[in-house]
Amino acid sequence: MSKFPIPSTLQDLESDPFDLLPYPVGFADDDEATRADSFDQLVLFLEQGNRTLVNGGIETFENIENTQEEEFQEWNCEDRIQALYTLVRKSASLSPSTRTRLVHVICQAVCQISCILASVAKKETSYVVPQELRDALACHLYMLYTIMIFMESEIKAGKALGNTCAQGKGGKSQDKDNAQHIQTLREACASTMLTVTNAMALYRSNLWKRGVPDENVISLPCRVAYQMLENSTSVTTRKLSSGDVALEIIAISLESNDGLRNTVVSALMDMMHSNEHMAPLVAELCCIDKGDCNDSQDYRENKLATELLREIGRLDGGAYSTSDTSGKANGIKNVAPFLNELAEKKPLLVLEHIHIVLHHLNSEPYNLRSAIIIAIGHLLVRRMETDHTGDEVNPNTEHANENNGETKLQKSNEMKEKLYNILLDHVYDVSSYTRSTVLKTWSALIEAQSLPTDKLIPVTKLAIDRLQDKTVMVRRNAMQVLTLVLENNPFTESLNPVPYENKMEEVKKYVLENLPINLKEAFEESMNNLEDENISDKSEIEAAVIRAVTDEVQSSPDRIDDVEENVEFVKKLKVLQFLQSAIEFINTFESANDAFQSMLLSSNKSDVTEALHFFVRARHFQLPCAVTGIKQALSLMWSDEQSIQDEVLAAFVDVFICETNGERLPPKQIVDNLIKLVGKSNASELACIEEAIARLVKDELIPSEVFLILWSVAAKAAGRPRSIAMTILSMGATADSGIVDSASRLRHLLQAGLGDYTEEHRDWASAKSAAYALQRVSRVKPDPSSAKFLVLEQIVERLSIIIQGEWCDDDSEQDTCAWFGATEEAINAIFAICPAPEQVARMIIVGMIYSTFELGKSGTLSEQFCHSLRLSRFFFVIGHISLKLLVYSEVISGAVRSANAARTISKQEQADRVKSTKRHGKEIDENNDIEAELGLAQAAEAETENIVAEIAEKEIIGRGLIEVFSPLVVRVVANENGRLSSKILMQSSVLTLCKFMCISRSFCEKHLPLLFTAIENSKRDITLRANTVIALGDLAFRFPNEVEPYTSKIYSGLSDDSMRVRLHTLMVLTHLILNDMVKVKGQVCEIALCLRDSEIRIRDMARLLFHELSKRSNNPIYNLLPEIISRLSNMSVKKDDFRSIMSFLLNFIKKERQAEMIVEKLCQRFPKCSTISQKANIAYCLAHVKLNEKCIKILNENFNHYKDSLFDEDVLRNFMAIVIKTKKFAKPEMKQYLEEWEGKLKTHSEMGLEDEKANKNAEHEKKRIAKRSDR
């Protein structure tokens, strides 16, 4: 029987059967010095005993009764145990040197006993050591365990062992040395504990009788190892706590003693619950449980990992809640990472037992679901690796029979398919964290080349769908999945659909011509039965035949006769399948433009960044959606955030300027890219591209050789490339005018854009581009000796010819329409480069008068004929020239004001200098003179402004050439009796009238009624109405008081049949409202209806307007809501439309006071409602207000207003929704109040139903009596 049973606590040694004393008999502790000496004497006594043990070996414990020498009678005597107990119990108060000696004594004794055990075991394998050795080992092992526990506990509590050094000078250095000393002791103890653990495991049969160990003794190393692991919270603390040694101690103990397994499993589960760092450590422990086994060998025998998986499988996920305050939620959060850590290290083991934990995918803790998802990812990666290498999941399969192997392989494939389906399903998990984890897992599978080809398109569609997720991190991970799918696609590096489609048609033709006889006959018969050339039916038949032959070849290839032809046919069939998959893959991306656009327009920066990265990669794979996406992204060049602008610019460079590896493309390739980009862009996209190119030119990221090649293209190319090249040159000149602003380059521009080629081919696009480029040229003073001036004179002459329309074809409306754009830019160019543009404009108008109205030499007007297209061109020219004259006069006025201001500042500075040198008397006089001059300067500035206003009001329109033709413009716009049928003439005349109105206030006020009459009379001309709406926006901005009475007519454009007119109207109103040019009144209800428009751009614009309004301090939406509700209720608006609009608008009511006022106003509207549907809509609005306790009290106080409508199911449902929603955050006293109100609602609902039923019966009886009386 053991004389030293392991006690529960150290203090138990003072009880039976040990009966130890706190201090040995004769222990001197009169003062601190004496006490320290007594401790030293105890340590010395232990050291002498250790020397005896070293010298005596196993004989120290054998034949004690027959030995006469005193020192061998009982080595582990009561005095030694008493000394150990006293020293260990008081170890914290020992001096550092004494404590060090104590630790060394205990470690030396344990190591020596282990050595004795090893030596006797090697001599005689069947030898069992005496009980005295086992007692000595138990005693010293327990003392080592206790002192290690003390040290680990003090370290965990943040205490420094042996911290008795004096503070002050040198204190920090002593603390550092003391800490290093303590660390040395910890390492020594851990090493000793590992040594004795190894000895007990290796020589188990020699240590214990019949090999049955004392579990209390062998569990001591594990118990201290737990404490060491709990302190291993990081890489540094793990090293300090000897965490690796602790793992090895537990692993060795488990390997040699199965009886400890359940205890260890329970302890590890508890530690994982309590410590977030434990899961990886436990997973690592599972990997060294069988130290010499790898994953493919021990996945069945690793009992520790299996038991831990079973324990996790037994966890009650339903009992855990994220709102739980008991710590259970954190516990399962800490346990969950063990699954994915173990799956990464032991995938085959987890795959064998994955069914144990799969049911947790339906449990509440998202951490556990996410961990299982990550584990599945590791398993699938390893499973695909074994598939590639030919390994089986079960290593014993090679010894099994063939049928058994096939069955296991089939089960393995079924499990793999099940795991893939789990990943597909849980991308729609309720937790955004789990959805994000699923997408990350798909990314890992793709990167590891572990995504099966049959899952490629489903995963792509799944990721595209998740781009609409409400959570940012899910959208980001979905975009990363798409990027990885693209980079790791199984097709070629080029995903341009055109080569694939051409090749597929070729292969399909071969397959259809070489069908097997049975299918060929059926195919020809089906094609002959087609009554007409129906392409869709023909495609369906071809697809059905190809599917049939594919199934036949896969199921029974021997049925096809000729072997040689069969081989070629099968190859072509596989090629066809490959091409079909590639096209489907490409079309999947092409159909996701809306999702990509939503990412670009997101308010979150990471969404935009990920979308841009995707488009860069897509462009390198030549996906068509890449160019579309980059063009959409260029609109972000106007973003308020500089970082987003930089991201867009970097994407532009990566797509059009640089190669995949970051090196710059050859200049010719850059030119081709830019020409393709600009050639397929609309006006808004061109503005964005211009901004991007200007930034790149400014940063010198576009080589100068690119512009040389563009000049060559502009001079030599024909058609569109010619004009596009000049457009790109003008874009670059926005940042660097030197690209076009030189005599030689202006000469090139004259020949390329305004020369003979343009005249011969009537290439208005080239003329427009050249004129646009000329606007980047600086104005020069008249100087006949200047080459640049002479070239500009020639350019102005050619521009004048273009503006006069001498090259136009009067029989082609299309030609005139193209001329409009070229002429607009030509007039802009003249006013940009001419020293006296008003004189050139006069000559142009005079020349056009002769050609348009066919004036003879006498100057008389021919009344016989005036061509409508010539008149349209004339109106356009005088309208645009008048507008440019206004701008030109304002520019001159600004220059005059700037010169006056500069002169005034100069005089002020001169006066300041004089002030310091003149006498005081003179200073006063001079100041008076300066003030007089300043007053004159202000008067001069005011006079300048009056002159400009006079020019705008009277000179441009009131007098001169243009004034002569304004009555004609008015008459054409009026179009009395509808005699003028030319749409182009009406559009041009109305546009000219609007430009005249923008110049003169009086002219505008006079002709506004005519303008709105013209809009009303143009029901069939969408372009006229759309253009006029934009012009009305300019008029409202320039003359708000004159246009204000007609605001309601502008709003009427929101209900126009044309989507284009509605969009333009909403854009104009948005601009005017946000710039406070139009007051937000009741007509805003029309804008609210735009929230349900069929066109997405209109819906987005309406949302933008309300979002911007909500940002204002007074929140006008709150003030407008009652009016909107009233108007929408009285209009024939669909129920779904009304509720969708109101749910959107009510989200902007965020202040509690505003919510309370809205609730009260809505309650007071119930008696005014004429139908029950209106009351239901009011109740719906109440249910969507963010209510507080006061709102509920207001609802209860106004109960009489709506109690009569509670019989309606819809009304009651909305009020009950309020009750349910409010109960979630209500306090106990409020819940009682809610229950009373809920009871009133239900009671009056039942009473109302009875009254409604009685009313219906009475009405029915009344009708029946009326019918009877009629008889």
Side-chain angles (χ1 to χ4, degrees), residues 891-943:
V891 170
I892 294 176
S893 172
V896 171
R897 286 195 296 269
S898 298
N900 290 337
R903 187 167 58 252
T904 303
I905 292 172
S906 177
K907 289 183 179 180
Q908 182 67 48
E909 291 175 350
Q910 183 179 0
D912 291 340
R913 288 194 297 269
V914 173
K915 185 185 296 185
S916 60
T917 60
K918 297 292 184 179
R919 293 197 308 268
H920 183 69
K922 282 189 175 183
E923 181 180 334
I924 295 175
D925 294 337
E926 287 172 358
N927 285 340
N928 292 335
D929 294 340
I930 292 171
E931 290 177 1
E933 289 184 5
L934 290 174
L936 291 174
Q938 293 175 354
E941 184 174 350
E943 181 64 22

Side-chain angles (χ1 to χ4, degrees), residues 848-899:
M848 290 194 73
I849 290 173
Y850 280 91
S851 62
T852 303
F853 300 104
E854 298 183 1
L855 292 178
K857 293 182 179 179
S858 60
T860 58
L861 179 63
S862 172
E863 297 181 358
Q864 295 179 354
F865 177 75
C866 181
H867 199 285
S868 62
L869 293 180
R870 286 178 177 267
L871 187 59
S872 301
R873 294 196 291 269
F874 178 71
F875 283 166
F876 182 85
V877 170
I878 62 173
H880 199 60
I881 285 178
S882 63
L883 197 61
K884 295 302 293 183
L885 284 171
L886 174 65
V887 175
Y888 182 62
S889 63
E890 290 179 347
V891 170
I892 294 176
S893 172
V896 171
R897 286 195 296 269
S898 298

Side-chain angles (χ1 to χ4, degrees), residues 1009-1215:
L1010 174 62
L1011 186 59
F1012 283 103
T1013 302
I1015 296 175
E1016 293 173 359
N1017 294 336
S1018 60
K1019 298 298 182 184
R1020 296 183 179 180
D1021 194 342
I1022 296 174
T1023 302
L1024 189 149
R1025 299 201 306 277
N1027 291 344
T1028 308
V1029 165
I1030 296 176
L1032 284 170
D1034 295 334
L1035 290 173
F1037 198 81
R1038 184 162 172 78
F1039 307 123
N1041 295 333
E1042 283 70 22
V1043 178
E1044 195 272 336
Y1046 300 91
T1047 303
S1048 59
K1049 292 190 176 183
I1050 299 178
Y1051 274 97
S1052 64
L1054 294 174
S1055 57
D1056 196 279
D1057 295 335
S1058 168
M1059 179 276 297
R1060 183 180 168 194
V1061 176
R1062 295 198 307 274
L1063 179 60
H1064 285 194
T1065 304
L1066 184 57
M1067 290 173 63
V1068 167
L1069 287 171
T1070 300
H1071 173 71
L1072 294 175
I1073 291 172
L1074 294 180
N1075 286 282
D1076 296 323
M1077 304 308 297
V1078 170
K1079 294 181 180 179
V1080 184
K1081 296 182 179 179
Q1083 294 97 335
V1084 77
C1085 176
E1086 302 292 334
I1087 298 179
L1089 286 172
C1090 292
L1091 292 168
R1092 297 291 289 176
D1093 197 276
S1094 57
E1095 173 61 32
I1096 185 172
R1097 289 180 294 175
I1098 295 177
R1099 297 197 300 270
D1100 290 342
M1101 182 68 68
R1103 290 191 186 98
L1104 175 64
L1105 173 58
F1106 285 114
H1107 273 294
E1108 293 300 321
L1109 286 176
S1110 68
K1111 294 178 182 178
R1112 297 189 173 182
S1113 58
N1114 59 344
N1115 193 4
I1117 297 178
Y1118 161 73
N1119 298 319
L1120 293 169
L1121 265 178
E1123 184 68 19
I1124 293 175
I1125 294 172
S1126 176
R1127 293 203 177 201
L1128 290 179
S1129 299
N1130 296 328
M1131 297 168 64
S1132 56
V1133 180
K1134 294 181 180 178
K1135 175 181 174 180
D1136 292 341
D1137 291 344
F1138 177 91
R1139 298 191 173 186
S1140 175
I1141 292 169
M1142 295 314 302
S1143 63
F1144 174 78
L1145 295 178
L1146 288 168
N1147 286 328
F1148 296 113
I1149 307 301
K1150 297 178 180 179
K1151 295 182 180 178
E1152 291 189 355
R1153 178 59 182 166
Q1154 291 179 347
E1156 294 163 7
M1157 296 296 292
I1158 283 291
V1159 169
E1160 189 167 3
K1161 291 178 180 179
L1162 290 175
C1163 288
Q1164 293 171 0
R1165 290 198 60 83
F1166 275 98
K1168 300 176 184 179
C1169 296
S1170 57
T1171 63
I1172 192 64
S1173 61
Q1174 292 179 353
K1175 294 182 179 181
N1177 287 336
I1178 299 293
Y1180 178 84
C1181 293
L1182 286 170
H1184 283 74
V1185 176
K1186 295 179 181 178
L1187 304 174
N1188 55 23
E1189 293 185 1
K1190 191 171 181 180
C1191 291
I1192 300 301
K1193 293 180 180 178
I1194 293 172
L1195 284 170
N1196 196 16
E1197 291 169 359
N1198 290 273
F1199 185 78
N1200 291 333
H1201 290 316
Y1202 55 83
K1203 67 178 182 179
D1204 294 336
S1205 58
L1206 291 173
F1207 71 89
D1208 183 73
E1209 181 181 354
D1210 198 4
V1211 174
L1212 180 64
R1213 182 169 56 250
N1214 286 308
F1215 277 105

